[in-house]
Amino acid sequence: MSTKRGLFIMAVILNILEVFSAPENSIKPINSLPKGITGCKRELNISECVQSAFQDVLKLSKDGIPELHIIPIDPLVVPKVTVQFENSLIRGKASVRNLKIVGVTNAVIEKTDFKIFGNITKYKSVIRVPYLRAEGSYKANIFVNNNKMSSRGEFNASMTDIVANIDSAGEIYERDGRSYLRLTKLDCEPTIGDMKVYANGLVPDENLNNALVDLANENWRRSYQSLVSSTRPSWEPFILKYFNDILDYVPWNLLVVEK
């Protein structure tokens, strides 16, 4: 039971991409790609070009890319994020304020497979992030076997060797006389090499609090996969929306040059 008490921290980390939504305003397509980003010719090595282009976007995103409505993401500062989670043993809701995440732009795209079939695109990639650290203030209500537990305090979490396998599909469509790409599917399967979390305020007694944290750190692997599955309906749609919000501003002919 005590191990479950700390699991909401991992759920919050898995849901951080909720904040990556572009602002809602009238869409004004760009006429050229931002400096440092190039489109790809539609030829045999397009997968290599797409991988290089995405790596460039990731690097430039450290300070933000205003033309694409990408906010600075390293460090990524999030005023508030809320996540709900549930499996056979635990359910609850947690909110985090002043969340700060470091390490996102150190990600390396290790493998890419990009194909175009008429107006349909298929994209697969393997992305590795060496290290992520997050910290913030939390408040949580957790139910374990119908027993309610409320906690609040400060937390930090560090993860190493994060690997995400991405499998997505998209459709090229017409809007206002121009072609655009919209992702219709995105599956993400993340794995973590190791993770350490710390939180105060889980329980009033400091010694017991630290014992609960130690127990959670020793046993997180046992519950990780079920946690990913239970929170997937929350964070995968936000990842999809993040990329589509960006693609709304970029005509297809800037991404892929036909000739």
Side-chain angles (χ1 to χ4, degrees):
M1 178 181 298
S2 55
T3 300
K4 304 299 179 185
R5 192 180 181 94
L7 283 179
F8 77 91
I9 298 173
M10 289 173 270
V12 169
I13 300 302
L14 291 170
N15 283 265
I16 60 176
L17 287 174
E18 177 177 354
V19 301
F20 284 166
S21 300
E24 294 184 3
N25 52 20
S26 58
I27 298 175
K28 298 179 181 179
I30 60 175
N31 294 315
S32 61
L33 291 174
K35 184 178 180 180
I37 304 173
T38 59
C40 296
K41 294 182 179 180
R42 189 167 179 168
E43 53 189 27
L44 292 178
N45 67 346
I46 190 170
S47 291
E48 296 178 12
C49 180
V50 168
Q51 178 169 322
S52 177
F54 278 8
Q55 193 72 64
D56 290 339
V57 170
L58 191 60
K59 180 180 178 181
L60 292 173
S61 295
K62 178 177 177 61
D63 299 316
I65 308 177
E67 300 94 326
L68 299 182
H69 298 268
I70 297 177
I71 63 175
I73 63 173
D74 206 350
L76 173 63
V77 179
V78 185
K80 183 179 179 181
V81 61
T82 301
V83 57
Q84 291 183 332
F85 47 92
E86 181 175 1
N87 59 30
S88 60
L89 297 176
I90 182 174
R91 62 185 173 88
K93 181 178 181 180
S95 62
V96 170
R97 294 185 180 274
N98 301 319
L99 178 63
K100 181 180 179 181
I101 304 156
V102 177
V104 176
T105 54
N106 290 328
V108 176
I109 304 174
E110 295 187 336
K111 186 184 301 183
T112 297
D113 183 19
F114 182 76
K115 292 183 173 64
I116 305 172
F117 307 93
N119 67 334
I120 301 298
T121 65
K122 301 286 186 180
Y123 172 81
K124 294 183 179 182
S125 69
V126 177
I127 302 174
R128 184 182 299 273
V129 186
Y131 175 80
L132 281 179
R133 177 179 169 84
E135 59 185 39
S137 303
Y138 78 90
K139 180 180 179 181
N141 292 312
I142 305 170
F143 293 85
V144 181
N145 297 328
N146 293 322
N147 296 313
K148 182 179 179 180
M149 294 176 289
S150 298
S151 304
R152 65 170 63 200
E154 306 295 319
F155 86 95
N156 62 70
S158 60
M159 294 178 286
T160 57
D161 199 23
I162 305 105
V163 178
N165 288 277
I166 309 294
D167 185 0
S168 69
E171 182 178 9
I172 303 168
Y173 71 100
E174 296 291 323
R175 189 183 81 228
D176 298 330
R178 305 182 76 170
S179 296
Y180 295 85
L181 174 65
R182 175 161 289 272
L183 299 183
T184 55
K185 164 198 152 182
L186 190 148
D187 294 328
C188 179
E189 192 66 36
T191 61
I192 298 174
D194 197 13
M195 175 163 52
K196 295 294 182 183
V197 300
Y198 176 77
N200 60 27
L202 295 174
V203 292
D205 184 87
E206 183 177 358
N207 291 331
L208 180 56
N209 183 95
N210 293 339
L212 293 176
V213 170
D214 290 342
L215 190 59
N217 282 324
E218 291 171 3
N219 294 277
W220 69 267
R221 294 183 189 276
R222 298 179 184 178
S223 302
Y224 174 75
Q225 195 56 52
S226 64
L227 184 64
V228 170
S229 298
S230 67
T231 59
R232 187 183 301 277
S234 295
W235 52 266
E236 274 193 342
F238 285 111
I239 300 175
L240 187 69
K241 185 178 187 301
Y242 168 59
F243 286 110
N244 279 331
D245 284 344
I246 296 171
L247 292 170
D248 276 344
Y249 296 93
V250 187
W252 172 250
N253 70 298
L254 297 183
L255 297 172
V256 176
V257 180
E258 298 290 337
K259 295 182 180 179

